[in-house]
Amino acid sequence: MIDRRNALKLALGSAAGLAAPRVWAQSAKPRTRIVFLGTKGGPRVGVGPSNPANLVMVNDTPFVIDCGMGVSHQLVSAGVPLESIKYILISHHHSDHNLEYGNLVYNAWATGLSTPIHSFGPKGLEAMTRTYWELNKFDIETRIEDEGRPDLRKLLIAKDITEDGVVLQTPDVKVTAFRTPHPPITDNFAYKFETPDGVIVFSSDTAYNPKLAEFAKGADVLVHEALYLPWVDRLVTRVKNGATLKKHLLESHTAAEDVGRIADAAQVKVLVMSHLVPGELDVTDDDWRNEARKTFKGRIIVARDLMELKLPL
Ligand SMILES: [Zn+2]
Ligand SMILES: [Zn+2]
């Protein structure tokens, strides 16, 4: 006797057999994940870790946070088709966070972008976008004419953020901006992602700011920049402007021990340290963790390039 399921199989023929594994694969895939694309703080390009950039993937929709040099390459390495990018968020206009902003969108166009990308960032992003079109006018217009591509300038919708609050809401995700000081920069935003699988907060570059703990209160994941103080102290003895440099670093960034304080006050489930200074691997994961462990007893992850964190935790 043929039961209902077998009858269906017979009726659908081999197509049903082919479709089944794909359905299984989709349901097994996590809906939300974070990929740490570039984990080294600062603008210097090296052979080691890539410059700052992160990815949040929710139901196959990519949100790119910061566009340090190398972000396009890192996205490709993470298996994300560039033309699938829908949202870009820039935290502040230091070059290690925006240098590849225009080029990422351009690279997405080169791989067949046909749907809009919405970008958000502090004041200056809209102007930067217009200027990028000027810079690349010749090539863009040549390819539209010569290759029949859509007009890239109409596919990127940039929006300056001027105040705290909700910047973006999709059926799945709400993104909220929160200003945090990064002297001398004040137009600098941390971002909170509320997803179906948990809350993720990115600190941006920031001075030690206890208010960030309120913003990140109860988050599942806090991705916070971190400075390794013993390295700063070694650096100070090596360079002429050591004292000034140390002062600058401490005024505009957060030492790992203080990062732990923020995570502890916010009671986050997981603390991820990224935008590491120094980013090179001579400071080990244990070195980083030991600093933050002094003040935070929860789970600590030291982000490395292309590492993935799946949600729910
Ligand atoms: Zn930075
Ligand atoms: Zn910065």
Side-chain angles (χ1 to χ4, degrees), residues 297-308:
K297 303 304 169 206
R299 184 175 164 205
I300 300 171
I301 294 174
V302 181
R304 298 299 182 189
D305 285 16
L306 300 177
M307 186 186 268
E308 266 192 39

Side-chain angles (χ1 to χ4, degrees), residues 107-147:
N107 291 335
W109 188 56
T111 58
L113 181 76
S114 61
T115 50
I117 294 179
H118 293 265
S119 64
F120 305 86
K123 197 172 180 314
L125 189 74
E126 292 173 15
M128 177 181 274
T129 305
R130 286 192 299 271
T131 312
Y132 186 82
W133 302 145
E134 282 305 307
L135 182 67
N136 294 285
K137 190 175 193 300
F138 175 81
D139 184 77
I140 290 171
E141 289 181 354
T142 302
R143 288 185 197 278
I144 290 171
E145 180 71 26
D146 189 38
E147 300 172 14

Side-chain angles (χ1 to χ4, degrees), residues 202-263:
F202 294 91
S203 71
S204 180
D205 291 8
T206 179
Y208 173 53
N209 179 11
K211 285 187 183 149
L212 261 179
E214 291 164 34
F215 180 62
K217 194 80 186 169
D220 294 85
V221 183
L222 170 63
V223 183
H224 202 295
E225 70 126 287
L227 180 67
Y228 187 68
L229 269 193
W231 172 83
V232 177
D233 290 329
R234 284 201 297 273
L235 182 74
V236 163
T237 61
R238 281 205 314 263
V239 295
K240 255 199 201 139
N241 62 336
T244 321
L245 191 61
K246 180 172 178 176
K247 189 167 172 286
H248 156 78
L249 286 171
L250 289 176
E251 277 175 2
S252 53
H253 295 279
T254 307
E257 191 178 333
D258 286 333
V259 173
R261 279 194 180 89
I262 300 292

Side-chain angles (χ1 to χ4, degrees), residues 96-97 205 275:
D96 56 325
H97 298 257
D205 291 8
H275 194 286

Side-chain angles (χ1 to χ4, degrees), residues 245-303:
L245 191 61
K246 180 172 178 176
K247 189 167 172 286
H248 156 78
L249 286 171
L250 289 176
E251 277 175 2
S252 53
H253 295 279
T254 307
E257 191 178 333
D258 286 333
V259 173
R261 279 194 180 89
I262 300 292
D264 182 59
Q267 284 298 297
V268 297
K269 284 191 192 144
V270 176
L271 167 63
V272 179
M273 286 187 281
S274 192
H275 194 286
L276 303 173
V277 176
E280 280 68 23
L281 301 172
D282 51 347
V283 179
T284 67
D285 290 9
D286 281 344
D287 292 337
W288 282 109
R289 257 192 296 267
N290 289 340
E291 288 292 305
R293 178 73 64 219
K294 293 176 187 169
T295 46
F296 179 60
K297 303 304 169 206
R299 184 175 164 205
I300 300 171
I301 294 174
V302 181

